[in-house]
Each structure stands twice: as structure tokens, then as C-alpha cells.
Amino acid sequence: MKQSNPWHSPLALLIGTGALLGLTNNLVKLATTGGWQPVTFLLWSLLGAGVLLVGLAMASQARPPLGRAHLRYYLVSGLISISLPNAVMFSAIPHVGAGYASLCLAFPPLLTYGLAVLLKLERLRGLRLLGVVLGLIGSLLLAIGKASAGDAPLGWVLAVLVVPVFLALGNIYRTLRWPAGATPLALAPGMLLAGALLLVPSLAMQGWANTDTAGTTRQPELWPVLAQMLLFACTYAMFFRLQKIAGPVYLSQIGSVGAMAGAAVAILLLGESGSLSMLLAAVCVVIGVVLMSRPDRSPAAQEAT
């Protein structure tokens, strides 16, 4: 019998998670202009979202396990999936814009597939390989276009392109090291809280004061961090569910949904300017992801099924 509940539909989870992911970059831009220091904003957002999900997990009889293997899973996934990529992304957005940062989210699907092939989690297919190449071309076009525009420091332009590498590594790690018997709702808060914990040393060294992009310390607005807490909680509750039922390569396509949603919001609602290089990069990414998502109709695949 078909499942009518969207909680059981990979496509519904993919679209929902990706759309929320795309909104995050735009909310970060509003938060930093509203007085938040990017990493401080990230830490409180993760902490609040983690607490919300702990409450939801306890209410759903899915208490987060605290064994040694589980704690290691939280810390490693929190480092490579949460604290490192988000700290770079949140810090870069005031310099490169939410639209550029959002489009960079389109590349993890292609990198995840490449890693899955190398680790023999997926077989190499011609069309998917072409999709990876097109995605990398799109990444290059995006970086060259942003750098040549001269409206953002080259260091931040290149730093954002490292984020998809961490996200792809996280997609693979969480699948390979998923603790036996653990439920998605039990694991999600552990990763978020571990990610927040790992940010503490950085903030302790650079200071906890909130400064805007001009370097002025001021009292930040409260609503962005409350909104981001809720956004993170909803995103990662669906995120882990999608990973569990669909695997790392399918999950990674949330980046493509997030890229299109985030760039559209940035251009249409926040007044950021688009460019020909962004359009060409988006076309390359869309074609690459479509090719990567095509089912394998080779004789070998048919025989395997």
C-alpha cells in the first residue's frame, strides 16, 4: 500500500529540506546586518535547535543514545557537517552575498557521488560522470564570475567553494558510520549540539561580542536567531529522516534545491544582483544533477536487479 504521509516520501523530504536549507543563507544575511557576529549567531542557533530536537526526541520515545560510538558519531559529523562548513558559510555571506553562497550548495551532490564511487558505494556510470564534470564546470564559472566582478574578496569567494567538500564528506561519513539501531530523530540533536560545542573554542579566542560588518559592537536583534533555531530544528529533523530512507547520494541533492531556492530569494527579495556567470553556473549544475539522477538502465544494472 502506498504511503500518503510526506514523512515517508523521499521527494517531499528532499524538497522540504532543500527549501529550508536555501532560506538559511538569506536569514544569515539579515542576521549579520542586524548586528549578529556570524559564528556567535551559528552557535546559538545550533544550541537552540539541538535543545528543541532533544525535546521532540524525548516526547517521541527516541531518546538520543550516549554510548561511546554514538558520541564519536556526533562529534565527527558535527565537525564536518555542521561546525566547519557553516562557520565558513556564515562568515562569508556578508562578503560574498547570500545568492552566491546558495548556489555553492548545488555542488555537494556531485562530490558525494564521486566519493560514493571511489568507496564502491555506487558504480561508475557514464551519464553520472558527465554530470560531475558539468557540476565542476559550473563551480569554476561561478568562482571566476564572482572574482572578476570585484565585489567580494577572492579569499572569501574561494573559501565558500570548500564548503561543498565538507558537506559531501559528511554525507558519506554519516551513512558509513550510522550507529546500528539508531533512529534519525535520536541522532539529529546529537549532531547539532556537538556542532555547537565545537564552536566554543573559536569564539572563546575571538571574543563573544556581536559586531556588524563595519566592526561596530551593538545589541543584535533577537528574532533572527529564534527563527534560525526553528529553521535548523525543522531542517535536520527531515535531513536525518531523508538520509535514513534514501541514502547519501539522493540526500545530497537537497543542495541543488537549496541553491535554486536560496539564490531566488536573494535576488527577488533581498535585492542582490544576478549575473551571466551565475546563470550559466546554474544551468550547468541543473543539467549535471539531472544526469546524475537518471536511473541506471545498463544491462549490468538490469541483471543486478
Side-chain angles (χ1 to χ4, degrees):
M1 188 171 66
K2 291 184 178 180
Q3 299 277 9
S4 58
N5 188 342
W7 192 243
H8 298 288
S9 167
L11 181 59
L13 288 169
L14 176 70
I15 294 172
T17 309
L20 293 178
L21 193 64
L23 289 177
T24 290
N25 289 337
N26 294 282
L27 187 53
V28 171
K29 182 176 180 178
L30 293 174
T32 54
T33 57
W36 280 97
Q37 194 264 10
V39 181
T40 303
F41 179 71
L42 173 60
L43 185 148
W44 289 114
S45 298
L46 290 173
L47 186 61
V51 171
L52 286 174
L53 286 183
V54 166
L56 181 60
M58 298 290 283
S60 303
Q61 305 299 314
R63 182 177 179 179
L66 297 175
R68 181 179 299 178
H70 299 91
L71 292 176
R72 182 170 58 247
Y73 183 88
Y74 300 148
L75 286 171
V76 176
S77 60
L79 178 67
I80 60 178
S81 299
I82 294 291
S83 59
L84 280 177
N86 281 299
V88 172
M89 185 74 83
F90 279 39
S91 299
I93 285 172
H95 304 282
V96 303
Y100 173 78
S102 293
L103 278 181
C104 288
L105 293 175
F107 306 125
L110 310 168
L111 295 174
T112 302
Y113 176 66
L115 288 172
V117 169
L118 288 175
L119 295 172
K120 302 187 185 303
L121 298 176
E122 292 265 341
R123 78 172 54 127
L124 182 63
R125 305 170 190 171
L127 286 178
R128 285 196 165 188
L129 180 60
L130 178 59
V132 171
V133 172
L134 283 172
L136 294 176
I137 291 173
S139 176
L140 186 61
L141 286 171
L142 196 59
I144 291 174
K146 192 66 177 178
S148 62
D151 59 351
L154 180 60
W156 284 116
V157 169
L158 297 177
V160 175
L161 291 177
V162 178
V163 170
V165 178
F166 287 118
L167 296 178
L169 289 171
N171 291 338
I172 297 296
Y173 173 81
R174 289 190 310 276
T175 293
L176 291 178
R177 295 291 183 264
W178 189 288
T183 65
L185 190 54
L187 295 178
M191 186 180 76
L192 293 178
L193 292 174
L197 176 66
L198 290 166
L199 291 172
V200 170
S202 173
L203 281 172
M205 288 188 292
Q206 71 182 45
W208 294 79
N210 282 294
T211 57
D212 59 21
T213 53
T216 304
T217 301
R218 58 176 177 161
Q219 184 66 33
E221 298 176 354
L222 185 59
W223 73 265
V225 75
L226 295 178
Q228 189 60 54
M229 287 177 184
L230 183 59
L231 195 58
F232 267 154
C234 294
T235 299
Y236 286 99
M238 294 192 292
F239 179 94
F240 269 84
R241 176 65 180 171
L242 180 60
Q243 172 126 30
K244 178 67 172 177
I245 66 177
V249 174
Y250 190 91
L251 165 84
S252 68
Q253 294 179 82
I254 63 173
S256 302
V257 178
M260 300 304 115
V265 171
I267 292 170
L268 297 176
L269 298 183
L270 299 187
E272 292 190 5
S273 59
S275 66
L276 179 59
S277 62
M278 288 179 72
L279 177 61
L280 292 175
V283 170
C284 286
V285 167
V286 169
I287 295 175
V289 171
V290 168
L291 290 175
M292 194 195 71
S293 303
R294 286 175 64 88
D296 188 1
R297 302 187 185 281
S298 66
Q302 308 247 343
E303 206 174 290
T305 57

